[in-house]
Amino acid sequence: MSLRPVHWSKTGRDWLATSFASRVAFLALSLTLGVALGVGALSYAALRVQIEASIRQDLEAQTRLVEERLHFALDEAGEELETLSRNALIVNGLVDSQGRDAYLLPFLRDFRLALPGKQDIALTLHDFSGAPVIDAGQGIAIAADVVGQALASGMPQARIVAHQGEAYLELVQPVHFPPTRSIEGALTALIRMVPLLGSAGTDLSEGLHLHLRAGERTLARTGAAQEQDIHVERTLRLGAPFDALGLRLTLASPAQRVQGPLNRLTLIHVAGIFILLPLVGWFAYRGARRLVAPLERLGATVEHIAGSGAIMAPPPIEGPDEVGRLADAFGRMLERLHTAHEELEQRVRERTEALGENRAFLADLIEHSGSLIFVKDREGRYELINRKWETVTGLGRDEVLGRTDLELFPPPIGETFRANDLRVLAADQAEEVEEILNDATGMRYFLSVKFPLRTADGEVRGLCGMTTEVTERKRAELLTTCGQHVLEMIVGGHDLKEVLERLMRDVEAMTPDMLASILLLDADGVHVRHGAAPSLPDAYNRAIDGAAIGPGAGSCGTAAWHKEQVIVTDIETDPLWVDYRELALAHGLRASWSTPIVSPTGVVLGTFGTKTYAFIGLERVGGVMVYDVSTPTAPSFVTYLNSRAGKEPGELEFRAVLPDGRIRVINGRGTLECAADGRPIRMVGTAQDITEHRQAEGQLRKLAQAVEQSPESIVITNLEAEIEYVNEAFVRATGYSREEAIGQNPRILHSGKTPRETHQALWEAISHGQPWKGEFINQRKDGSEYVEFAFITPSASRMGASATMSL
Amino acid sequence: MFPTRLASWLVLSLGLLIVPGAGAGMEKKPVHVGLDAELEYAGSTSAQAIRMGMLIAMEEINRAGGVLGGRPLKLIERDNRSLPARSLVNLKELAAQPDLVAVFCGRFSPTVLEAIPLIHELKLPLLDPWAAADAIVDNGHMPNYVFRLSLKDSWAMPVMLSHAQKQGAKRVGLLLLNTSWGRSNLKAAQAHVAAHPEIRVVGTQWFNWADKSLLSQYQALRQAGAQAVAFVANHDEAARLVRGMAALPKEERLPIVSHWGVSGGDFFQDAGPALHELDFAVAQTYSFIGASDARAKQVLAAASRMFGVKDARALPSPVGVAHAYDLIHVLARAVDKAGGTERRAVRDALEQVSGYDGLVRRYLRPFTPERHEALGPENVFMARYAPDGAIVRIADR
């Protein structure tokens, strides 16, 4: 029938867990108990310290009292003994030993020091050797050495001696013998210690332990002190000669004297706790119950809401406290929740409509985009294409959707597309690829951005691409590349045939299935000469060479004649190609596109890529100048081809007047190529605009002159501190000739008297590229000294590789 | 000091001169005589007087060929400061000295009394030129090693009391030093009063060595009805009494009859002019003043020669000089009679010496086995301090 403890503790935990009031009451009880115990422990400790201190103080006062009384008593005894030693009767006694029994012995026997317990004092008179003359010592042994010390020193001596288990103070006073003014004896007083100490206050109040020691000897002891008792020890200061006794007094108070009050305090404290705890528990529980009552009502409301699903405000809670505010706030929250719920539903409806609109917009955007847009699944089957895609490829939606590139495009193109798709899928990120489509209009270049498409759970399900046609831009790039090649070749001194061949190859590269040729118009302006046609058969070229231009003279001849572009779509049928049809057809040519290269002002202009060049013939000097005229307002000189110089490379410097009137200085170098009969064919070389160079040379010359003629010494060194240049003033100032100075270190000027700090500061500045100025004490070649103010600056050479220092 | 040194030097020189002339066979080994006295005692002249008498006599003897056929007498001194304890130590040292035949003591009876048992233990002859206590000689020892050539208390007190009586005093007060010497005098006084009913002792007062003042005791005697005071004291206490009495009204100053202890020191100087305002008589046994015999002149001449003493009036403690002088002559005769330095023989010989015409008196036999006192009551007289400090005999009326 008995309940097990575990059962109780479980019940207690449940009780705590289910009721906030229980927890508050429990907490209050714990806190109260903790504080009460803490305060109790602290007061216990504090009281203990206080009681101990007070007892200690008490003991110290007692030891002081004992010391003072003992001091007083012994002082009295000492003084009295000294007075007695001066007594005429005592002096008499030293001389008159016959009278000792008659009067001195009774005198000494009856004499009493002014001490407590007078009957316990025994006096003895000693002669100069320490032997007792008159012994009233009642048979107590006197320490002879103490008497000896007193006689030898003339000073009183004290010693503790024992007789029959009792301690005596032996006090020896030397006797001064007036007639001879010497110490001729000593007076010894033996004083029983017990009454002396008793009167000095060692009969202490009950319960105290006393221990008086002289050195290691115990003189008085009451009770036996325990280890835990409170001890006070004092070395008694009693003045000479009593300090020599080394009296130490220990007083101890039994520990029970501390324990009594402490036990009473503990009892009161425990009783207080037993009364306090039930009160605190009851009040705390009642208070907490009252506190959580609103919460319980709130709980009921919430329970109702949870059950019904209808959000409703709880009844208002009375009271301005936290719980009241919490309930009110909860009510407001419920209201706000209700409003927010309705707003949310409204917004969901609006969003649903907007989403539908967006989807239509997006579809339109894709459909009408200027780029080709498509979506494929992982196997490359088209899922979506837009109109542009249809337009560019010419394939309809019905035939495309559900099919792959391999099915739609010829093998090389379809395979390339598929390969690009797979790479994007593998990389799992957007990529930009260039793709080429070859159709009836020729090579078409596209730039496609392809990126993987993901399902909602992040899995790649296909890819999307946006493709823009870049054919025009691609062509322009190719033309630019081509023009650069031609220019490089011209400047590099290649001959015209090579240049033209390269040009033709570049043009062919731009347009596959097209063969290119260039014909040069002869000087007569009627016949054309073979320029370059690297892909055309030699037989064809030979047939053309020397043909005359004119209307109907082939497409090139007609273009040159009319100075306009001629396009022949079918050589087989076109009348322009009557003369060369067989030849052209025999070599597989079917269509032609001819354009003349002409200048309206007689200057031949050539367009290479984005740049246009002007070729200006210079009749008088027999050369051709080439200008870049891409920017109409500022033509720049490119090269000059000279045909007049001999076979050896020639050099010519001349002034050229530019179309805008500016004058430039040109330096041309070139080699003339001549035919077998000596007729010059062409000139290969370079032309350089050296206008700025010439101007710079002029300035440098002026600067050099200024430096050379400066009245200040100027030195230029390289980074290895070797002198590279000195001016005339330096030669005059130092006595070193220019030949002696150059290649030397400026150290040759050092006198050794310039402070070391000056050189350190100089190199610190120079190594950081900063100018420096300061004073040197230097030495001439003949050894004489002079003071020089120096300004030193680092400078960069034209090469920028070595810095120099000018001094 | 110079004359003393010079004198010693002269003695030595004369000795050297005379010894060869005295003949061959003369032993050079000295015969020692000891002196154990209060040499260092402040203000005391007694020991110095005794030494002077000894040296003068020894010089005479040595000049005359010494003792034992040519051996010189030589003095060995020890200071006892009047303290028995020191005296005992000194006597033991002196007894250990070879060829020492006898020891002279000093003025203080208590010191000598304390040494009596040791003297007999050591069998050392003790010659007393001053200390007056009866018990020194009457010590009960047989054989007795103590020989006195001096005053004896039992002779002095009757003379003192008789003198007071002659001055008209019937009631006498006794003022005594609280020592065995004082008690010895009390016995003597009581013995005299018992035999002479015409004089009465009205009171006895004791004082101690080094007492600061004796006036209260003196006044107690005066108030007891004393008409004169018999005074037994040493020089320092006596000077204190005199100075104290001088401050009293004249009618309170009683005549003083004093034992001779006062003459053992600088009493005259210490007492000062107050002494002349009192009737102060002192017992004596000998005075050089007025002595006309050849021996007295010879001694005075030697004192002047050896110690620079001007004349008889300037000689301090004259009794000490006279007694010591005579004792040395007696001792020399005894040594010669003993034929050696063996002390028992010398002691026995001292009792056999006869026919010495001395300074103080003519001695038929100074000592006999029954009598160890060389002087007698007939030698005692009263004297007074002259204004120059000389002790002058009071003429019998």
Side-chain angles (χ1 to χ4, degrees):
Chain A
M1 274 305 288
S2 63
L3 292 168
R4 274 173 293 185
V6 64
H7 206 100
W8 273 114
S9 89
K10 186 176 186 313
T11 309
R13 277 205 303 276
D14 290 349
W15 181 71
L16 280 179
T18 52
S19 171
F20 183 63
S22 314
R23 284 209 290 275
V24 168
F26 183 73
L27 186 67
L29 280 178
S30 310
L31 271 176
T32 309
L33 189 63
V35 169
L37 289 178
V39 168
L42 280 177
S43 8
Y44 187 91
L47 189 65
R48 184 186 186 90
V49 167
Q50 182 132 20
I51 291 173
E52 282 187 1
S54 129
I55 287 177
R56 201 173 289 280
Q57 216 170 354
D58 205 33
L59 293 179
E60 276 168 7
Q62 295 228 41
T63 58
R64 265 202 305 282
L65 190 69
V66 169
E67 181 187 67
E68 274 169 26
R69 286 190 185 169
L70 211 54
H71 192 183
F72 179 74
L74 291 174
D75 245 15
E76 286 280 289
E79 275 176 30
E80 209 168 337
L81 197 65
E82 198 198 339
T83 310
L84 181 62
S85 77
R86 290 203 211 96
N87 188 301
L89 194 62
I90 299 300
V91 176
N92 207 8
L94 285 178
V95 180
D96 181 25
S97 33
Q98 290 292 312
R100 65 185 64 153
D101 290 327
Y103 62 95
L104 196 55
L105 185 56
F107 175 79
L108 288 179
R109 198 177 286 142
D110 298 341
F111 187 86
R112 291 294 173 251
L113 295 176
L115 274 177
K118 296 174 179 200
Q119 64 279 10
D120 299 314
I121 293 164
L123 289 168
T124 304
L125 179 65
H126 306 265
D127 68 16
F128 79 102
S129 67
V133 176
I134 296 154
D135 186 1
Q138 300 165 353
I140 302 169
I142 292 170
D145 56 326
V146 188
V147 179
Q149 279 172 21
L151 287 166
S153 66
M155 300 298 290
Q157 303 290 325
R159 178 79 60 89
I160 302 287
V161 295
H163 178 69
Q164 293 182 345
E166 194 166 359
Y168 288 83
L169 171 65
E170 181 180 329
L171 182 55
V172 185
Q173 174 67 43
V175 177
H176 190 77
F177 187 63
T180 53
R181 295 187 186 87
S182 53
I183 306 296
E184 294 297 344
L187 203 56
T188 299
L190 281 167
I191 303 169
R192 253 184 86 207
M193 288 302 282
V194 173
L196 181 72
L197 297 173
S199 69
T202 55
D203 296 337
L204 293 161
S205 62
E206 200 181 328
L208 282 189
H209 301 311
L210 172 141
H211 192 188
L212 179 67
R213 279 166 295 175
E216 294 307 310
R217 188 204 305 267
T218 294
L219 295 183
R221 182 169 212 157
T222 55
Q226 302 297 312
E227 193 58 43
Q228 67 271 22
D229 291 353
I230 299 169
H231 291 79
V232 166
E233 184 168 312
R234 186 182 188 86
T235 300
L236 302 183
R237 305 248 169 267
L238 303 169
F242 305 105
D243 276 344
L245 300 176
L247 289 188
R248 275 181 302 141
L249 179 64
T250 306
L251 286 184
S253 176
Q256 294 94 289
R257 285 180 62 181
V258 181
Q259 206 53 50
L262 288 176
N263 288 344
R264 284 193 290 281
L265 175 79
T266 309
L267 191 65
I268 291 167
H269 201 80
V270 168
I273 288 175
F274 272 111
I275 295 167
L276 189 65
L277 282 186
L279 283 176
V280 168
W282 188 74
F283 277 113
Y285 186 72
R286 283 295 303 271
R289 286 293 305 173
R290 187 174 288 179
L291 204 64
V292 299
L295 287 179
E296 284 183 345
R297 270 182 283 164
L298 202 61
T301 307
V302 173
E303 195 69 44
H304 179 75
I305 292 170
S308 66
I311 294 174
M312 53 175 272
I317 304 296
E318 287 170 11
D321 59 4
E322 287 89 342
V323 176
R325 288 203 295 278
L326 169 66
D328 290 343
F330 192 71
R332 286 197 299 279
M333 185 193 77
L334 286 178
E335 283 172 15
R336 182 77 188 87
L337 213 56
H338 185 71
T339 316
H341 182 68
E342 287 182 348
E343 281 175 1
L344 192 64
E345 289 199 337
Q346 175 66 26
R347 194 170 292 174
V348 167
R349 276 195 299 278
E350 288 170 5
R351 286 275 167 88
T352 311
E353 288 169 15
L355 206 59
E357 288 174 12
N358 283 349
R359 194 168 288 168
F361 171 73
L362 203 60
D364 286 350
L365 207 61
I366 292 170
E367 184 64 17
H368 302 294
S369 170
S371 299
L372 294 75
I373 297 176
F374 56 88
V375 175
K376 300 178 197 171
D377 65 11
R378 289 184 70 95
E379 280 69 44
R381 285 189 291 268
Y382 280 91
E383 292 182 342
L384 179 150
I385 54 169
N386 67 350
R387 197 155 57 195
K388 182 72 175 176
W389 199 95
E390 288 178 317
T391 312
V392 170
T393 59
L395 295 170
R397 230 166 271 230
D398 302 336
E399 47 186 331
V400 172
L401 295 180
R403 302 175 73 180
T404 65
D405 288 321
L406 295 175
E407 292 165 320
L408 293 173
F409 300 105
I413 294 171
E415 282 166 6
T416 308
F417 288 172
R418 180 59 183 160
N420 288 343
D421 290 355
L422 288 173
R423 198 169 66 247
V424 169
L425 289 171
D428 197 15
Q429 61 181 22
E431 273 193 19
E432 203 174 70
V433 293
E434 199 176 79
E435 293 177 333
I436 299 169
L437 189 64
N438 206 355
D439 68 357
T441 59
M443 298 276 280
R444 298 183 70 174
Y445 295 87
F446 297 91
L447 191 64
S448 295
V449 176
K450 293 187 176 179
F451 54 92
L453 285 177
R454 294 170 189 281
T455 59
D457 52 1
E459 203 171 316
V460 176
R461 68 167 182 83
L463 87 161
C464 176
M466 289 186 220
T467 304
T468 311
E469 183 165 4
V470 292
T471 308
E472 290 307 317
R473 204 173 79 202
K474 190 71 187 178
R475 282 205 181 131
E477 273 177 21
L478 288 172
L479 277 175
T480 306
T481 311
C482 168
Q484 277 170 349
H485 285 158
V486 172
L487 267 180
E488 281 164 9
M489 291 184 77
I490 291 169
V491 172
H494 294 269
D495 68 19
L496 189 59
K497 186 176 168 66
E498 281 175 332
V499 172
L500 291 177
E501 276 191 2
R502 175 65 202 242
L503 183 62
M504 290 307 107
R505 282 189 202 284
D506 283 346
V507 168
E508 285 172 354
M510 278 179 259
T511 50
D513 301 341
M514 183 184 275
L515 305 178
S517 74
I518 191 164
L519 299 173
L520 299 174
L521 194 60
D522 211 353
D524 57 6
V526 176
H527 296 92
V528 290
R529 291 290 171 192
H530 170 68
S535 305
L536 287 176
D538 284 345
Y540 174 82
N541 290 342
R542 276 195 302 275
I544 296 295
D545 189 37
I549 64 168
S555 62
C556 288
T558 307
W561 181 259
H562 293 299
K563 293 181 179 169
E564 62 185 16
Q565 186 173 310
V566 173
I567 296 172
V568 173
T569 54
D570 191 353
I571 292 172
E572 197 171 1
T573 60
D574 198 288
L576 288 180
W577 278 84
V578 173
D579 294 349
Y580 307 102
R581 185 172 299 150
E582 298 304 320
L583 197 58
L585 291 174
H587 289 91
L589 305 176
R590 287 290 178 268
S592 74
W593 175 80
S594 303
T595 186
I597 304 171
V598 288
S599 164
T601 58
V603 176
V604 179
L605 295 175
T607 301
F608 300 97
T610 57
K611 295 214 170 185
T612 305
Y613 298 92
F615 298 86
I616 305 167
L618 298 172
E619 287 296 326
R620 200 166 53 81
V621 295
V624 176
M625 292 180 67
V626 184
Y627 283 89
D628 179 357
V629 291
S630 302
T631 314
T633 54
S636 61
F637 178 82
V638 176
T639 190
Y640 166 77
L641 307 173
N642 194 350
S643 59
R644 183 161 297 175
K647 288 202 171 184
E648 295 302 309
E651 186 174 349
L652 179 69
E653 191 175 303
F654 58 93
R655 288 160 183 260
V657 182
L658 298 187
D660 61 359
R662 284 182 294 142
I663 296 173
R664 310 294 290 176
V665 180
I666 311 289
N667 175 269
R669 292 163 188 261
T671 306
L672 187 66
E673 284 182 21
C674 297
D677 57 355
R679 195 167 54 93
I681 298 168
R682 60 179 168 224
M683 169 107 194
V684 176
T686 61
Q688 196 175 6
D689 182 344
I690 56 168
T691 312
E692 275 82 16
H693 185 68
R694 280 283 171 263
Q695 286 168 354
E697 272 183 354
Q699 279 182 338
L700 200 62
R701 203 160 42 244
K702 280 183 230 165
L703 202 60
Q705 224 159 7
V707 168
E708 180 62 28
Q709 289 162 13
S710 167
E712 312 294 337
S713 296
I714 294 175
V715 177
I716 298 176
T717 72
N718 60 15
L719 273 180
E720 279 71 47
E722 289 164 357
I723 295 175
E724 290 185 334
Y725 170 81
V726 296
N727 68 350
E728 189 56 34
F730 174 90
V731 172
R732 283 200 303 275
T734 62
Y736 288 103
S737 73
R738 211 172 289 247
E739 292 70 31
E740 286 168 330
I742 287 171
Q744 294 289 330
N745 191 298
R747 210 180 292 127
I748 57 172
L749 299 173
H750 287 185
S751 65
K753 296 189 177 171
T754 306
R756 190 179 169 80
E757 292 75 28
T758 306
H759 288 291
Q760 282 172 351
L762 162 65
W763 282 109
E764 178 72 17
I766 294 301
S767 60
H768 285 90
Q770 304 288 326
W772 181 89
K773 56 188 175 182
E775 224 172 52
F776 289 117
I777 301 167
N778 280 346
Q779 194 172 31
R780 294 195 182 85
K781 189 183 179 187
D782 61 7
S784 59
E785 286 175 10
Y786 66 102
V787 176
E788 187 173 54
F789 181 80
F791 183 83
I792 297 177
T793 175
S795 66
S797 78
R798 279 173 303 163
M799 295 302 287
S802 71
T804 60
M805 185 184 81
S806 36
L807 178 73
Chain B
M1 287 301 282
F2 170 74
T4 314
R5 285 267 175 87
L6 185 65
S8 314
W9 189 83
L10 278 172
V11 170
L12 205 65
S13 309
L14 286 169
L16 286 173
L17 285 172
I18 286 160
V19 165
M26 186 172 179
E27 292 282 342
K28 289 202 174 73
K29 212 165 129 193
V31 172
H32 293 122
V33 181
L35 171 62
D36 170 42
E38 56 284 355
L39 287 160
E40 299 281 314
Y41 196 99
S44 174
T45 52
S46 50
Q48 284 73 16
I50 290 166
R51 185 171 59 187
M52 189 189 292
M54 288 174 82
L55 288 173
I56 289 171
M58 285 160 94
E59 196 242 11
E60 281 176 15
I61 292 160
N62 288 342
R63 195 191 295 187
V67 293
L68 298 173
R71 289 175 68 173
L73 291 173
K74 195 176 174 219
L75 176 63
I76 299 175
E77 303 174 2
R78 288 286 185 279
D79 175 29
N80 64 24
R81 307 182 185 184
S82 82
L83 292 164
R86 291 200 181 272
S87 175
L88 296 180
V89 173
N90 290 345
L91 287 171
K92 282 176 193 161
E93 285 178 15
L94 290 168
Q97 186 74 32
D99 289 334
L100 184 131
V101 289
V103 173
F104 278 52
C105 66
R107 163 162 57 121
F108 295 106
S109 293
T111 312
V112 183
L113 283 169
E114 187 77 359
I116 298 300
L118 181 68
I119 285 294
H120 289 90
E121 199 181 301
L122 295 172
K123 305 203 184 307
L124 176 65
L126 180 75
L127 306 189
D128 177 5
W130 195 312
D134 287 18
I136 293 171
V137 175
D138 305 338
N139 54 37
H141 285 277
M142 191 60 70
N144 192 349
Y145 272 80
V146 184
F147 298 86
R148 174 153 61 190
L149 195 159
S150 180
L151 185 65
K152 187 177 179 181
D153 288 334
S154 52
W155 307 331
M157 190 49 78
V159 175
M160 286 157 62
L161 292 175
S162 302
H163 179 75
Q165 196 183 348
K166 281 180 208 159
Q167 300 293 102
K170 289 185 168 53
R171 298 185 300 280
V172 179
L174 300 179
L175 185 53
L176 308 173
L177 178 62
N178 185 17
T179 66
S180 45
W181 182 41
R183 287 185 286 280
S184 169
N185 278 286
L186 176 62
K187 275 186 201 162
Q190 285 165 340
H192 179 78
V193 170
H196 299 83
E198 64 278 9
I199 190 161
R200 207 149 54 80
V201 172
V202 293
T204 304
Q205 289 290 325
W206 298 94
F207 62 89
N208 290 306
W209 219 290
D211 265 348
K212 296 267 181 287
S213 169
L214 279 59
L215 217 51
S216 59
Q217 289 96 325
Y218 167 81
Q219 291 289 33
L221 291 175
R222 202 178 60 80
Q223 279 154 17
Q227 293 163 320
V229 172
F231 187 37
V232 177
N234 286 303
H235 65 279
D236 37 5
E237 296 95 358
R240 257 174 256 150
L241 175 68
V242 168
R243 284 201 302 272
M245 281 175 70
L248 298 175
K250 234 182 184 113
E251 62 272 15
E252 292 185 14
R253 299 176 189 160
L254 300 176
I256 305 289
V257 282
S258 172
H259 204 305
W260 71 344
V262 299
S263 66
D266 298 331
F267 166 67
F268 180 77
Q269 285 87 341
D270 289 352
L275 186 59
H276 308 305
E277 297 174 18
L278 300 178
D279 180 4
F280 193 98
V282 60
Q284 292 287 287
T285 54
Y286 180 77
S287 174
F288 284 96
I289 298 166
S292 55
D293 59 305
R295 194 175 284 271
K297 284 178 183 156
Q298 185 185 326
V299 170
L300 279 173
S304 171
R305 177 164 46 85
M306 294 167 67
F307 301 99
V309 177
K310 204 170 68 189
D311 57 15
R313 301 186 77 90
L315 193 67
S317 304
V319 291
V321 178
H323 295 173
Y325 176 87
D326 275 355
L327 262 179
I328 285 292
H329 276 286
V330 172
L331 177 65
R333 281 166 168 75
V335 170
D336 278 335
K337 194 175 278 288
T341 59
E342 206 265 309
R343 289 169 196 159
R344 181 191 283 268
V346 170
R347 190 212 78 86
D348 292 345
L350 277 166
E351 293 177 346
Q352 305 300 324
V353 172
S354 62
Y356 164 55
D357 190 5
L359 180 64
V360 179
R361 66 181 287 180
R362 183 188 178 84
Y363 305 91
L364 285 175
R365 273 187 79 179
F367 306 109
T368 68
E370 294 77 31
R371 181 176 52 81
H372 278 208
E373 303 279 2
L375 299 186
E378 67 280 2
N379 291 106
V380 185
F381 59 87
M382 296 307 288
R384 206 182 291 281
Y385 278 89
D388 62 351
I391 301 167
V392 184
R393 184 172 185 151
I394 300 169
D396 287 330
R397 271 178 280 181

